[in-house]
Amino acid sequence: MAVAELDLDLDGPDSPDGPVLSFGPALGGPPPGAGDIFALVRLQGRPAATVLGHVRADEDPAEVLTAVFRARKSPYEPPAPAEPVLAAPAPAEPARPATALAAPPRTTVVVATRERAGQLARALDSLLAQDHPDFRVLVVDNAPVTTATRDLVESRYVGRVDYVQEPCPGLAVAHNCGVAAADGTVIAFTDDDVIADPHWLTALTTPFAADPGLGCVTGLILPARLTTSAQILLESHGGFAKGFEPRLYDPASPPADEPLFPFTAGSFGSGANMAFRAEALRAVGGFDPATGTGTPAKGGDDLYAFVRILAAGHRLRYAPEALVWHHHRETWQDLRNQAYGYGAGLTAYLTAILVRRPALLPALLAKLPRGLAHARAITAHRPDPAVESAPGTHGARAHPWPRDLSRLERRGMLYGPLGYLKARVRVRRQARSAALGKPRIRRRAVRGRS
């Protein structure tokens, strides 16, 4: 089963005569003559919703999907204002909203990768097409076993992309390597399996210029392909998206609708689309090297960083206009591994927070009963298969979440603390090897933007 994808702009500056479809680098060619189509709807160029519509061979996809969207938006509404919807009442001195007049700061984009040169090239092409005025792209080649990544950068992106090698495996280690090599005010992170919307980096980094107290910004992640049952299932239950409403999380005014704040870090965003004020990230020690993909902890490096930034008093903003298209895992086994890894990463990052910031233990213990209930809810009760989903969406009724995936997530949650402790042992061994004179990191740079 495959679902075609497209981009539908209802009233953007380039569509004065009505809705216009586009396909872009992530979305492939035109949709088939008939079938299901998953569309991102934009209003005035900003992401507003996703819809799913069935289009017959004799129908205009733009008309069908516009009707589906307007049926969901009853009555049809103009786009939301540019200001974020606050997650809590505004503090005494609210942050200024990002505006088009604020110039995005100098940024380094870090892309950690391991033996996926084909996917990396696709990601780099989209990054080099960004409309941001002042940025640098840095590839971190993590524990490579071949020279494929280095050869790609040196042959195809010489003078445009920087390259650094980190021999110790682990996503957090690779990200810390990127932090050490980065320059500029902001450090942005994305993955080698995404395609960035041309306005992604500008939308992700401009808020830092408008709000000096902002420590982190995350963005919207949508599927680049929906061609397999596993991909459709994941996206039908939310995927990586965190919605289309801007949101500001302020530790000085905890959100009333998130009593577990800030320990529900999964609601803030994901590592494939995040940026940090460089000074703030370095001040909290960067990412915990015993977390993340490629370690026994299996994940949690991004969640750890979100909580550390908030615990240090910085604000975190979710900006849905900062969009990347993510290539979801394709097979059922991939999805099983992902479910287990997410569960492990959740409790691994909580363990990391308590090990490295014991002062947060009282706050966590006070919220632990509700936290356990929340953890059970997010793994056991995806949208109820018995409840009819909204028209025009990938509904849970058609794609119920398998119970074995929920069980795998819970098993991962039980394993997470042990995985983190195993990873810490490995990090210590690597540190001892480095202290004995063995080189921990070898760098070879290809200079890029200045």
Side-chain angles (χ1 to χ4, degrees), residues 314-334:
H314 303 284
R315 290 185 283 273
L316 183 152
R317 182 188 296 273
Y318 172 65
E321 62 272 23
L323 167 66
V324 300
W325 303 89
H326 179 263
H327 286 79
H328 293 351
R329 308 289 179 86
E330 296 184 356
T331 70
W332 284 108
Q333 187 55 52
D334 288 338

Side-chain angles (χ1 to χ4, degrees), residues 172-173 175-177 179-180 276-291 301 304-305 308-309 312 314 356-357:
V173 175
H175 280 169
N176 283 339
C177 177
V179 171
F276 296 86
R277 192 177 300 276
E279 181 181 21
L281 183 60
R282 290 182 176 125
V284 300
F287 300 87
D288 187 327
T291 59
D301 54 307
Y304 171 86
R308 285 301 307 269
I309 286 290
H314 303 284
R356 297 173 68 96
R357 281 293 306 275

Side-chain angles (χ1 to χ4, degrees), residues 233 236-237 332 382-386 395-403 405:
L233 175 67
S236 73
H237 291 271
W332 284 108
R382 306 277 176 168
D384 191 340
R397 184 177 182 86
H399 307 287
W401 189 255
R403 292 182 179 180
L405 293 183

Side-chain angles (χ1 to χ4, degrees), residues 252-266:
S253 300
D257 62 340
E258 293 197 16
L260 300 173
F261 178 87
F263 300 108
T264 51

Side-chain angles (χ1 to χ4, degrees), residues 393-448:
T393 64
H394 272 304
R397 184 177 182 86
H399 307 287
W401 189 255
R403 292 182 179 180
D404 69 313
L405 293 183
S406 293
R407 287 194 293 268
L408 279 170
E409 285 184 271
R410 293 194 195 102
R411 285 174 53 191
M413 291 167 65
L414 292 174
Y415 165 81
L418 176 60
Y420 175 72
L421 295 176
K422 288 181 177 179
R424 278 183 64 87
V425 170
R426 189 172 76 175
V427 168
R428 289 174 179 172
R429 288 174 179 169
Q430 292 168 346
R432 284 198 295 268
S433 296
L436 292 174
K438 297 180 181 179
R440 190 188 68 84
I441 182 170
R442 179 168 60 87
R443 299 185 179 185
R444 182 175 179 178
V446 181
R447 298 304 304 170

Side-chain angles (χ1 to χ4, degrees), residues 189-215:
F189 298 87
T190 192
D191 291 347
D192 59 9
D193 56 358
V194 310
I195 295 176
D197 190 74
H199 189 60
W200 165 71
L201 191 60
T202 297
L204 189 69
T205 60
T206 298
F208 290 101
D211 181 0
L214 198 61

